[in-house]
Amino acid sequence: MAGPAAVILLLSGICQVPALGVILRTTDKIVWANEFEPIELTCLIESISTNNPRIEWKKIKNGIPSYVYFQNRISGDLEHRAQLREPANILIFNTSRADTAEYRCEVAAIDDQRDFDEILISLAVRVKPVVPRCSVPVAVTVGTSSELRCLENEGFPASQYRWFHNNEELPQDPKSSPRFINSSYTVNPDTGGLKFRRVRKADAGEYYCQAKNDAGHAQCPPQVMEVYDVDIVGIFFKSFAALVALICVTVGICHAHKHGCFSSKDHGENNYKLPAQDDGVDYGDEGHFRHKSSFVI
């Protein structure tokens, strides 16, 4: 029959919970945040026996790790912009696009059977689009093709584009709207291109483009596109070119005439006067003259 000491040892063995080791988890392994807004990366300790575990956070950008929490202080890119919250979460006060990276939470517990665990979290910071650069032709001719362009390259994720005509959004498929059913345009929401296969008079008006993603949107100022029955712009430029050519020819002729290029005289001839006919005067030396004998009365 077992004694009291044996019973106590048996009960203590039953009540003792073995230290399984440190175990971590997170609420989200992929986290999205808007630029300049706060975000918290969670590193929850589900199991641990060590009272003061070592907690570290590392940022991994382009495969290169760097410390953001080390030796009980925030460092690196998050210095003065973040803090550690219990149990091991990182709170970033104002995220920036440079914070997009992978973050690894590491916890070491020397008194646990499993004395180390880590968890990887991916942070992507959404960036609002900037005002897109829009290109709208000033004038086009009925029946010709034309293209309007829209682009911005700051937003993240990449922006999607929409076009507006006289403050009304153009549907991607013109056949889906009675108002645009006869139009021949196509819209590419990924590149921002608006192409007309054959421009109509009804396509004239104000156009502007809007770039949008999950962080916000931005749009360019409206620009007017005129549509003419004939190529007024082409005629103007052709007339202007003809006028410039005429002016150049006239200036060339005047310049050549000024330099004697059109003189009728033969420069190869000797330019001298024929001797005067005999006038009955005999010029002597030193400019004196005397009458010939035939001149004496």
Side-chain angles (χ1 to χ4, degrees), residues 1 11 56 66 78 85 108-109 122 145 148-149 162 198 213-214 260 277 291:
M1 189 171 183
L11 292 175
E56 294 177 356
S66 61
L78 298 183
R85 300 183 66 179
S122 177
S145 62
L148 287 66
R149 297 182 178 90
R162 300 187 297 172
R198 291 185 306 276
N213 65 10
D214 293 337
Q277 295 182 355
H291 294 290

Side-chain angles (χ1 to χ4, degrees), residues 129 132 134 150 159-164 169 189 208-212 216-220:
C134 298
C150 178
S159 294
Q160 294 285 293
Y161 299 95
R162 300 187 297 172
W163 277 96
F164 293 79
E169 183 178 356
Y208 68 87
C209 169
Q210 183 184 89
K212 183 178 181 180
H217 67 273
Q219 64 190 42
C220 61

Side-chain angles (χ1 to χ4, degrees), residues 8-21:
I8 294 173
L9 288 175
L10 178 62
L11 292 175
S12 64
I14 295 174
C15 295
Q16 184 178 2
V17 178
L20 299 177

Side-chain angles (χ1 to χ4, degrees), residues 125-183:
V125 179
R126 290 183 287 251
V127 180
K128 181 181 177 180
V130 298
V131 174
R133 301 183 300 275
C134 298
S135 175
V136 178
V138 176
V140 293
T141 308
V142 169
T144 60
S145 62
S146 184
E147 182 176 3
L148 287 66
R149 297 182 178 90
C150 178
L151 181 65
E152 76 85 33
N153 51 16
E154 293 291 329
F156 181 82
S159 294
Q160 294 285 293
Y161 299 95
R162 300 187 297 172
W163 277 96
F164 293 79
H165 176 230
N166 294 333
N167 293 320
E168 183 177 355
E169 183 178 356
L170 294 175
Q172 288 194 21
D173 183 7
K175 307 302 180 185
S176 64
S177 170
R179 183 177 178 83
F180 302 101
I181 193 169
N182 294 322
S183 186

Side-chain angles (χ1 to χ4, degrees), residues 249-264:
V249 171
T250 303
V251 171
I253 292 174
C254 293
H255 183 76
H257 187 271
K258 183 178 179 180
H259 288 78
C261 295
F262 297 99
S263 175
S264 59

